Amino acid sequence: MRRFLIPALICLAALAACERREASKGPAPSQTQPAAEARFRHRLSGDVSGDYRPVAETSGAWRVESLFIGQAEAFDAWEAGRRDAAPLILVVSGPEGRIQLTPRAYDLTDDSLHLVAGPATGSSESEDATLDARIDQGALATARRNLGDRTPVITGAVTVRGERIPFSLGWWNGD
């Protein structure tokens, strides 16, 4: 019995040391904000790429016009510092017209997206927008099977100039 107890205690002590080491690294990044050292991060096991458009008309001063999500290769390039083509493009319209926003930070998984985006380089706009959304994988599969029906796939809200804009977007297959 003692022969098994000592190795078991050694293993438990090693596990406890690992947990203490992980805890000393600080809290894990929240889902609502990308970690500072990982400003651009994607963790995808499947393909969520596509152009997403509103499934219903909204009223108000601001509205989400579209959200483009690129292929995994585009995210890899962006995270490696190659800024040729943005892997995420958010287009909103407001009192001054349409604004195309590109990533300042993002955290994308199969089920969620947190994006901090600002106007493209050269724009006179300077304020960032923040998007928090949920991605419904089942609805995405249905929309792709039906070639872009009005199924809500991405739901959430964008905050622009202090105004929260709820949205519901469907995968868009074009006209």
Side-chain angles (χ1 to χ4, degrees), residues 56-107:
E57 292 296 318
T58 57
S59 60
W62 290 92
R63 71 174 292 213
V64 173
E65 296 286 335
S66 67
L67 172 65
F68 168 78
I69 301 177
Q71 299 278 329
E73 296 81 20
F75 285 97
D76 292 337
W78 191 267
E79 291 163 20
R82 295 186 304 275
R83 303 287 195 262
D84 300 332
L88 294 163
I89 300 171
L90 174 64
V91 178
V92 297
S93 61
E96 296 88 28
R98 291 171 50 111
I99 304 169
Q100 182 173 317
L101 305 165
T102 56
R104 303 284 190 258
Y106 61 75
D107 189 359

Side-chain angles (χ1 to χ4, degrees), residues 9 36-37 56 64 76 101 110 118 121 154:
L9 289 175
E37 66 275 0
V64 173
D76 292 337
L101 305 165
D110 292 326
T121 305
I154 300 178

Side-chain angles (χ1 to χ4, degrees), residues 9-164:
L9 289 175
I10 291 172
C11 288
L12 285 174
L15 283 173
C18 289
E19 287 178 9
R20 279 195 300 271
R21 189 175 20 233
E22 289 297 317
S24 69
K25 290 181 181 178
S30 73
Q31 201 165 2
T32 59
Q33 178 135 352
E37 66 275 0
R39 283 183 63 83
F40 302 110
R41 182 170 64 173
H42 76 288
R43 297 172 317 280
L44 297 169
S45 63
D47 181 19
V48 297
S49 65
D51 195 21
Y52 296 86
R53 304 275 174 100
V55 295
E57 292 296 318
T58 57
S59 60
W62 290 92
R63 71 174 292 213
V64 173
E65 296 286 335
S66 67
L67 172 65
F68 168 78
I69 301 177
Q71 299 278 329
E73 296 81 20
F75 285 97
D76 292 337
W78 191 267
E79 291 163 20
R82 295 186 304 275
R83 303 287 195 262
D84 300 332
L88 294 163
I89 300 171
L90 174 64
V91 178
V92 297
S93 61
E96 296 88 28
R98 291 171 50 111
I99 304 169
Q100 182 173 317
L101 305 165
T102 56
R104 303 284 190 258
Y106 61 75
D107 189 359
L108 174 64
T109 67
D110 292 326
D111 302 313
S112 67
L113 170 61
H114 175 78
L115 169 67
V116 176
T121 305
S123 171
S124 61
E125 297 289 324
S126 62
E127 293 187 40
D128 286 349
T130 303
L131 177 144
D132 285 295
R134 183 180 141 315
I135 302 169
D136 184 331
Q137 289 294 323
L140 177 57
T142 298
R144 285 184 170 158
R145 271 193 312 274
N146 296 331
L147 300 177
D149 63 6
R150 308 281 293 170
T151 302
V153 174
I154 300 178
T155 56
V158 173
T159 304
V160 180
R161 295 186 183 160
E163 186 173 335
R164 186 176 181 277

